[in-house]
Each structure stands twice: as structure tokens, then as C-alpha cells.
Amino acid sequence: QVQLVESGGGLVQAGGSLRLSCAASLSSYRIAWFRQAPGKEREFVATINWTGGNTDYADSVKGRFGISRDNPKNTVYLQMNNLKSEDTAVYYCAARIRWDLRAIDQQAYGYWGQGTQVTVSS
């Protein structure tokens, strides 16, 4: 059983930055960030393996977002820079439990946080 709690969301102006945190009860899992905007399907944002040596990003955030982890603190971060209005969404972190599915597939993740709202004003 893995417990995940997201924090760091809020209201920010376009072009600004936010850092989201995902506090976990254990550090030995691959963690991914997903987001869901109003009226849209939930989509993959970024993922990091348990050692922090492997990362992947959605094309829409590549070059602007950075994912990292601090295992002694059991925390994964999502640094979001140059935010755009289309980044507005509820952001969720999740821990992977399915190894027969791709790391970008949300069905691979069995533990989810409650989500944190990110709103980017134009």
C-alpha cells in the first residue's frame, strides 16, 4: 500500500512557474504525473523511475517541465516553467504497479493521489 499526497498547485500568471510535490509513503516505485483539464481526457505529463535515472515527458511539456525525486524525503517534484493557459488542469501523481504496460499508460499505475489544481491566467 502506497499513499500519495500532491501539493503546490495554485493560480499563476502565464509565463510563471510552479513546483508541484508528491509526498509518498515509500520511495521504491516509478512515479508519474498526469493531468486532466475540464472536458478533456486525463493525459500523461511526465514520469521518473525509482532511482531517478530515467525520465520521460509529454511533447507538450518537454523543455518546460522537469521531473525529479528526493528519495530520502520520499518526494517527487514537477518543476513547471513558462506556464501556458493550456497547462490549466488538475495534476495527479501515481505509483506504478503494472510492469506489463507502458510507463506512459495510466492503467499501469495503481496508487493515486487526490490531485492538486493548477490554474494559469492569460
Side-chain angles (χ1 to χ4, degrees), residues 73-105:
K73 295 182 178 180
N74 293 340
T75 301
V76 172
Y77 302 100
L78 184 68
Q79 179 67 47
M80 305 186 294
N81 300 317
N82 191 25
L83 284 161
K84 305 174 180 179
S85 60
E86 53 261 43
D87 295 318
T88 295
V90 177
Y91 284 71
Y92 302 89
C93 67
R96 186 185 189 176
I97 62 167
R98 293 282 302 274
W99 300 96
D100 57 329
L101 300 174
R102 296 177 300 168
I104 62 172
D105 187 345

Side-chain angles (χ1 to χ4, degrees), residues 1-101:
Q1 186 79 14
V2 179
Q3 297 179 61
L4 304 169
V5 180
E6 304 96 334
S7 63
L11 177 65
V12 65
Q13 293 182 354
S17 298
L18 283 174
R19 189 178 75 164
L20 305 184
S21 297
C22 175
S25 59
L26 206 61
S27 295
S28 58
Y29 288 83
R30 173 180 285 272
I31 299 293
W33 289 94
F34 294 84
R35 68 186 183 186
Q36 187 166 25
K40 298 188 68 177
E41 300 284 337
R42 186 157 61 188
E43 64 178 357
F44 168 77
V45 177
T47 187
I48 188 167
N49 75 331
W50 74 278
T51 66
N54 177 266
T55 60
D56 197 13
Y57 300 89
D59 288 342
S60 60
V61 306
K62 205 167 189 176
R64 298 189 297 120
F65 290 11
I67 189 169
S68 62
R69 68 191 305 161
D70 186 343
N71 285 341
K73 295 182 178 180
N74 293 340
T75 301
V76 172
Y77 302 100
L78 184 68
Q79 179 67 47
M80 305 186 294
N81 300 317
N82 191 25
L83 284 161
K84 305 174 180 179
S85 60
E86 53 261 43
D87 295 318
T88 295
V90 177
Y91 284 71
Y92 302 89
C93 67
R96 186 185 189 176
I97 62 167
R98 293 282 302 274
W99 300 96
D100 57 329
L101 300 174

